[in-house]
Amino acid sequence: MTNSLSSELIKSLRQIVGERAVSANAEDRLLYSYDGTMLEFRPAAVVFPTSTAQISSIMGLAGQHNVPVVPRGAGTNLSGGSLPVSGGLVVSLTRMNRVLAVNPENLTAIVEPGVVNGDLQKHISRYGLFFPPDPASMNVCTIGGNVASCAGGPRCLKYGVTRDYVLGLEAVLPSGEVIRTGGQAIKNVTGYDLTRLLVGSEGTLGIITQIIIRLLPMPEAKKTMLVIFNSLVSAGQAVSAIIANGIVPATLELMDKLAIQCAEDYVHVGLPREAQAVLIVEVDGFKESLDRQVETIERICREEGAVETRIAESDEEADGLWLARQTILGAVGRIKPSFVIQDVTVPRQSLAEIIESVQETSRKYDVPIVVVAHAGDGNLHPIAMLDKRNPDEVRRAEEAEGEIISHALALGGTLSGEHGIGLAKKDFMPMEYGHTEMRIARGLKKLFDPNNLLNPGKIVGGNA
Amino acid sequence: MDAEELYEAILRCNKCGFCQANCPVYKELLEESACARGRLRLFRAVLEGEQGLSDSYVKKLDRCTGCMACTASCPSGVGPLRMILAARAYNVGNKGLPRLKSLALRNVLSHEGVHGLAFAAASYAQRLGLTHLAPGRLVPPGIDLNHFPLSASPFRSQVAEVVSPVEPKGRVGFFVGCMIDHSLPNVGHATVRVLNRLGFEVVIPKGLKCCGIPLIFSGDVETARSLAEHNLRILSELPVDHIVTSCASCGNGIKNEYRELFKDGELAESAERVAAKALDISVFLASRIEPGQLGEVERLTMTYHDPCHLARGQGITAEPRQLMRAVPGVEFREMVEADRCCGAGGTFQVFFPDVAWAITRRKLENIKAADAQTVITACPACLQRLQGGLRQTGMPQSTLHIVELLDRALAVASPRHTVETQHKVAVE
């Protein structure tokens, strides 16, 4: 546990990044102790580099002084991945935030890790391009964070997740060495896929300092629908039916009644407060294809019991629906101050089943659970709400979590679809990784980080 | 809110971080203390007894323009700006105001006599060219001492207490506020003229003091309360149907903050009544000006900057645009990030000039990109900031308060209509 840095080390850090880019005061130690979870661990200090060279020097110094290092973007991750569990130095990438290049001919861009996803989208929209991963926190989360956690989002149903859009990386290893993986070529099988190893490595193998991303041309048009159901399970069944009918919309998002009400309390866009579930379905593509997609989806949903379908008639209306969906996690603060969120992902055909079992778990442990899902992917986000000051509520929420995870794995699912394992799901890893898989994973970690200094205590690692 | 309610409210922040999205200070500094989530976490640590009121802590809480973007982005209903103001109040309650702020806010702004003298002195110094002598390092970027608008005499000494048209069909009170009084009296004159032209007698009570918003935003709730109480006693007795403001902050004060200050006390009912009568000038005029009454001023492209305390503070965005569009000859062009803070933030621009200037520069870039010849706004503080910024960067755009635009348009349409000589008596 490294709770403080020597004045010599602080001085050296100041020489690397400048006086005002290093802080070891009590306030900043508190401010960099948390992320989007309810957990907190104080670092010894925080530093704000703006170049790869600076980060390389920082890692070199950290190695010399045996100080753990934790890279951080906006600090909104939901896995505890940004938490300095062994103290040490937080390296904030927020000020390393330039879009270095956009290449419309190659459909690529090169960005620094601190670029905010939403800002990137705005920037490249001027070229008629977009970057598909659209996590709910896109207006605050950084591309570096997206890459480190292999972030998803609603559009990933049709387009794929972050790893599908990273062509290459530059990263600083715990040794201070800088590596470059992949490149600008769209197809690349030269050597082992180090790029994909780093994507989703949650800052435990290297600090990502440059990302070559793949972009897509924006679809000509889109239509967004709100489909209303009287039962959460039939909404789940409708999702499976849509996919089984050969339609892959851009998004198939599910919200349960409590989610609808929390969101509506904030956004006031006229969401149906008494509905048991809604689906937000967006289709995109050439104008001519949209009506047919919409009609087909509407028909299928009706057959599965939908009571109403509302098609957004303007961009504002569509934006309102998405704002509602994006702000649910923050909005549940209205009910209880803390939450434990799951990210289990099951094979699509089992969606209705896992939803039913979550509802049962909620009743069994008397824990309010909001259900939100990237339903088309089978990626469920049960949000168990609690007051962390109440040990009984904490215990019951944790038990509910354990049960949900067991059920998901029993259905052939996985612990995490897009948030990452971080700290929060680490204890569950043995349920999914066998001994050999753990050995290989730990071996990889050891290869990259022999002294276990980079984001220790996450995924499969031990604490420093 | 009592301490327990405050603590429970702060706990509702579940750290989603969405406040980072639109916070103009965060966008410049890119560190956790510069967003509401961070400030709230620090304040919580203070309430839990873990964090002391160090200078660096106080600074982090002060380093916010009060633009309310966080409150607008916060899904959990915490109302982060209100928490930040509560934190400031806590600081002032325990530590007092720093000397300079105390001098400026308590001794100057809040005292009628001193107030007038200080501004008159400043205006005089400016006209004498003394401001050119100020050493460069004392002059913060974004604040041009030589051109900061300062009136030789306050607006309220230039008008009678009641100004009436020939056959008034109604009577409104006008809460002027310090910026219009001392800095931009033309906005005050335009307001009175426009109201007179529409047939309203305008009552401008001499006894009114500063609305108190700068005090609230600095955490000096006690002084704010005494100012507000003084003002409420006058405003609640005014025999008027409406009380208009041409300053977004004063309007936010009277409509919202006064109710908050007095909600559990004997002035609660009075605060509610006054709030119900209070209207921003753009809202008052939007439903009362007939299109035919507005003449063509000039063929100009115009864009609009939403004052924070109007757009987010009072939910008013449509009426100013509606009024602009109603003026013949005006081609309206919407600006990107029209409702993003101009960087003034009241005293923020004085105490955090570098950050303020960075925020103002972004607004100036957006103004340039809007490709409009004139920027209209509805708050004298924003007006002053934009004027200063445009001048300092040599940009050609002109600026006007919405009421000044309407004043000109009304005058063009009916040039022979003159305003009746002012009465000199107070209203019984």
Side-chain angles (χ1 to χ4, degrees):
Chain A
M1 194 68 194
T2 306
N3 286 318
S4 66
L5 304 184
S6 67
S7 51
E8 181 209 332
L9 177 53
I10 302 256
K11 187 161 156 218
S12 305
L13 287 170
R14 288 210 159 103
Q15 279 165 352
I16 297 171
V17 292
E19 281 294 317
R20 303 211 293 175
V22 184
S23 175
N25 71 42
E27 287 125 34
D28 286 315
R29 291 185 62 209
L30 174 58
L31 290 168
Y32 286 90
S33 70
Y34 57 77
D35 61 6
T37 66
M38 59 179 189
L39 309 166
E40 291 187 0
F41 297 87
R42 307 272 157 118
V46 58
V47 69
F48 299 86
T50 52
S51 76
T52 307
Q54 286 175 359
I55 294 172
S56 173
S57 303
I58 290 167
M59 288 310 305
L61 262 184
Q64 273 168 40
H65 288 80
N66 211 43
V67 168
V69 170
V70 179
R72 178 189 177 97
T76 54
N77 80 82
L78 298 171
S79 66
S82 309
L83 301 178
V85 299
S86 299
L89 185 64
V90 166
V91 173
S92 170
L93 279 317
T94 53
R95 292 179 188 167
M96 198 166 159
N97 65 349
R98 293 174 300 163
V99 173
L100 297 174
V102 178
N103 187 340
E105 280 183 0
N106 197 29
L107 293 181
T108 55
I110 306 180
V111 300
E112 289 185 331
V115 173
V116 171
N117 182 304
D119 290 346
L120 173 69
Q121 308 286 7
K122 274 192 214 122
H123 189 104
I124 59 181
S125 71
R126 292 187 270 140
Y127 299 86
L129 301 172
F130 79 112
F131 177 65
D134 59 343
S137 55
M138 64 191 288
N139 290 321
V140 295
C141 62
T142 62
I143 298 294
N146 293 162
V147 171
S149 60
C150 187
R155 280 200 290 236
C156 295
L157 168 63
K158 177 170 176 180
Y159 292 103
V161 294
T162 299
R163 76 166 70 88
D164 303 313
Y165 292 91
V166 178
L167 296 175
L169 293 172
E170 177 192 82
V172 175
L173 298 181
S175 62
E177 293 165 296
V178 179
I179 60 167
R180 296 199 74 102
T181 72
Q184 299 240 26
I186 303 297
K187 293 168 70 174
N188 187 331
V189 291
T190 304
Y192 294 117
D193 196 345
L194 297 177
T195 304
R196 282 209 167 183
L197 179 60
L198 286 169
V199 177
S201 63
E202 305 186 40
T204 62
L205 301 182
I207 299 185
I208 293 155
T209 50
Q210 212 181 90
I211 307 122
I212 304 173
I213 51 174
R214 182 166 77 96
L215 307 174
L216 290 180
M218 290 169 84
E220 186 184 46
K222 60 181 181 170
K223 276 201 199 261
T224 313
M225 313 181 268
L226 185 74
V227 190
I228 303 170
F229 292 84
N230 275 341
S231 110
L232 193 52
V233 168
S234 55
Q237 284 163 344
V239 168
S240 301
I242 291 168
I243 306 270
N245 266 272
I247 302 208
V248 181
T251 75
L252 264 176
E253 295 290 296
L254 174 77
M255 290 166 57
D256 78 350
K257 185 168 176 178
L258 206 43
I260 294 165
Q261 289 175 346
C262 286
E264 180 63 11
D265 281 342
Y266 168 59
V267 293
H268 304 299
V269 294
L271 296 178
R273 302 184 69 97
E274 294 314 308
Q276 289 301 323
V278 294
L279 290 181
I280 303 179
V281 189
E282 190 166 280
V283 294
D284 64 18
F286 289 111
K287 274 201 304 271
E288 293 81 9
S289 77
L290 298 184
D291 285 336
R292 189 161 151 210
Q293 291 186 67
V294 167
E295 274 153 28
T296 312
I297 290 169
E298 216 180 333
R299 177 183 50 81
I300 295 170
C301 289
R302 225 180 314 119
E303 283 163 13
E304 296 296 328
V307 297
E308 189 191 338
T309 299
R310 298 179 193 169
I311 301 174
E313 290 175 14
S314 66
D315 283 346
E316 285 73 39
E317 218 184 307
D319 290 345
L321 291 176
W322 285 117
L323 187 63
R325 169 62 185 87
Q326 286 170 346
T327 50
I328 286 169
L329 198 54
V332 302
R334 291 164 188 272
I335 300 185
K336 292 236 180 221
S338 317
F339 61 79
V340 173
I341 182 170
Q342 300 314 310
D343 181 35
V344 292
T345 304
V346 299
R348 290 190 247 246
Q349 66 275 17
S350 306
L351 184 71
E353 205 179 325
I354 189 77
I355 289 172
E356 249 182 323
S357 94
V358 165
Q359 288 182 305
E360 258 226 32
T361 301
S362 166
R363 279 188 293 267
K364 177 171 164 190
Y365 294 97
D366 191 25
V367 175
I369 300 185
V370 168
V371 174
V372 158
H374 303 297
D377 289 322
N379 186 187
L380 206 68
H381 291 313
I383 306 167
M385 294 181 292
L386 63 142
D387 188 330
K388 72 176 181 186
R389 296 171 292 178
N390 181 328
D392 186 58
E393 282 187 35
V394 175
R395 182 189 53 82
R396 282 185 283 114
E398 286 174 351
E399 285 180 7
E401 172 182 39
E403 192 168 281
I404 290 169
I405 287 174
S406 302
H407 284 160
L409 293 179
L411 287 169
T414 184
L415 267 175
S416 175
E418 58 185 8
H419 293 169
I421 297 299
L423 178 66
K425 308 298 176 233
K426 194 177 151 195
D427 291 342
F428 299 100
M429 280 297 287
M431 288 169 76
E432 194 167 335
Y433 263 36
H435 286 302
T436 310
E437 288 83 1
M438 276 298 225
R439 179 169 58 81
I440 303 277
R442 287 189 169 135
L444 273 169
K445 167 67 175 171
K446 187 112 183 141
L447 174 66
F448 277 80
D449 188 14
N451 299 316
N452 193 27
L453 287 180
L454 190 59
N455 209 2
K458 307 292 171 65
I459 316 180
V460 294
N463 288 7
Chain B
M1 239 188 231
D2 66 28
E4 205 182 299
E5 282 170 344
L6 190 58
Y7 187 69
E8 286 299 315
I10 294 177
L11 278 185
R12 296 291 142 161
C13 166
N14 61 21
K15 314 256 191 55
C16 75
F18 278 31
C19 47
Q20 288 177 6
N22 297 309
C23 174
V25 177
Y26 179 78
K27 290 296 177 185
E28 295 308 322
L29 299 177
L30 298 171
E31 59 174 276
E32 190 67 22
S33 73
C35 71
R37 178 174 75 166
R39 297 190 193 94
L40 261 55
R41 182 63 189 90
L42 284 174
F43 184 36
R44 171 152 75 93
V46 163
L47 294 177
E48 287 171 349
E50 192 201 315
Q51 166 74 37
L53 302 180
S54 62
D55 286 347
S56 58
Y57 165 76
V58 170
K59 178 176 169 177
K60 288 175 165 92
L61 267 298
D62 283 346
R63 196 173 51 184
C64 144
T65 66
C67 78
M68 304 175 179
C70 52
T71 296
S73 309
C74 176
S76 75
V78 172
L81 181 66
R82 188 148 301 289
M83 301 292 112
I84 291 169
L85 296 182
R88 290 177 183 173
Y90 188 95
N91 293 343
V92 172
N94 285 285
K95 281 186 85 164
L97 273 175
R99 187 116 31 113
L100 183 59
K101 262 196 183 170
S102 183
L103 183 69
L105 295 172
R106 273 198 191 136
N107 301 91
V108 177
L109 208 56
S110 314
H111 273 112
E112 209 45 44
V114 182
H115 196 182
L117 269 175
F119 278 104
S123 168
Y124 199 46
Q126 199 184 60
R127 279 177 292 132
L128 282 179
L130 293 176
T131 44
H132 287 275
L133 299 174
R137 62 185 158 78
L138 281 190
V139 181
I143 298 188
D144 181 356
L145 289 181
N146 303 316
H147 293 104
F148 189 94
L150 285 170
S151 180
S153 67
F155 164 72
R156 281 186 293 160
S157 70
Q158 299 172 23
V159 286
E161 199 154 5
V162 181
V163 188
S164 192
V166 181
E167 276 164 13
K169 62 179 192 191
R171 184 193 285 144
V172 301
F174 177 22
F175 187 99
V176 178
C178 305
M179 276 301 291
I180 291 174
D181 239 348
H182 298 289
S183 191
L184 296 162
N186 284 339
V187 176
H189 287 297
T191 306
V192 171
R193 277 193 299 262
V194 169
L195 290 168
N196 283 164
R197 278 191 193 280
L198 295 176
F200 292 96
E201 181 170 279
V202 186
V203 181
I204 311 158
K206 299 269 186 218
L208 288 172
K209 294 187 176 184
C210 169
C211 69
I213 284 276
L215 283 308
I216 292 175
F217 274 68
S218 299
D220 187 355
V221 179
E222 207 185 294
T223 308
R225 202 173 264 128
S226 77
L227 287 169
E229 193 173 328
H230 174 98
N231 290 333
L232 264 184
R233 293 200 191 283
I234 297 174
L235 293 172
S236 59
E237 298 305 309
L238 278 188
V240 296
D241 299 316
H242 298 283
I243 300 166
V244 297
T245 51
S246 293
C247 171
S249 289
C250 297
N252 187 44
I254 298 169
K255 257 197 120 49
N256 297 318
E257 295 301 326
Y258 283 16
R259 280 189 293 166
E260 187 64 32
L261 281 174
F262 297 112
K263 70 180 173 200
D264 297 316
E266 41 141 345
L267 285 170
E269 196 255 321
S270 176
E272 286 295 331
R273 255 189 307 114
V274 168
K277 283 188 181 180
L279 275 183
D280 182 75
I281 190 70
S282 66
V283 175
F284 185 82
L285 295 176
S287 57
R288 290 171 174 83
I289 290 188
E290 307 291 327
Q293 292 177 287
L294 298 169
E296 182 171 312
V297 179
E298 247 188 280
R299 308 218 124 249
L300 282 175
T301 51
M302 295 194 179
T303 189
Y304 177 69
H305 160 73
D306 290 277
C308 299
H309 290 182
L310 199 63
R312 282 180 289 277
Q314 300 174 62
I316 297 168
T317 54
E319 285 86 347
R321 290 173 166 83
Q322 181 193 322
L323 288 166
M324 284 173 71
R325 289 195 156 103
V327 176
V330 169
E331 189 192 315
F332 182 85
R333 296 206 175 145
E334 190 66 48
M335 188 192 329
V336 165
E337 298 178 334
D339 63 357
R340 195 177 199 270
C341 186
C342 69
T347 54
F348 179 87
Q349 62 188 317
V350 176
F351 294 106
F352 299 100
D354 295 314
V355 182
W357 184 234
I359 297 171
T360 301
R361 271 209 320 272
R362 182 149 162 177
K363 174 60 64 171
L364 293 174
E365 277 157 23
N366 288 330
I367 289 174
K368 185 170 175 195
D371 197 25
Q373 293 159 298
T374 302
V375 185
I376 303 287
T377 189
C379 172
C382 298
L383 193 57
Q384 156 276 124
R385 187 72 187 173
L386 294 177
Q387 272 175 4
L390 289 165
R391 171 184 277 110
Q392 283 202 290
T393 50
M395 285 170 69
Q397 285 81 358
S398 55
T399 54
L400 278 178
H401 191 288
I402 182 73
V403 78
E404 290 179 301
L405 174 66
L406 296 169
D407 181 36
R408 294 181 189 187
L410 285 169
V412 165
S414 50
R416 278 199 294 261
H417 175 124
T418 53
V419 170
E420 169 77 345
T421 326
Q422 302 163 355
H423 294 193
K424 289 261 179 213
V425 298
V427 174
E428 289 310 314

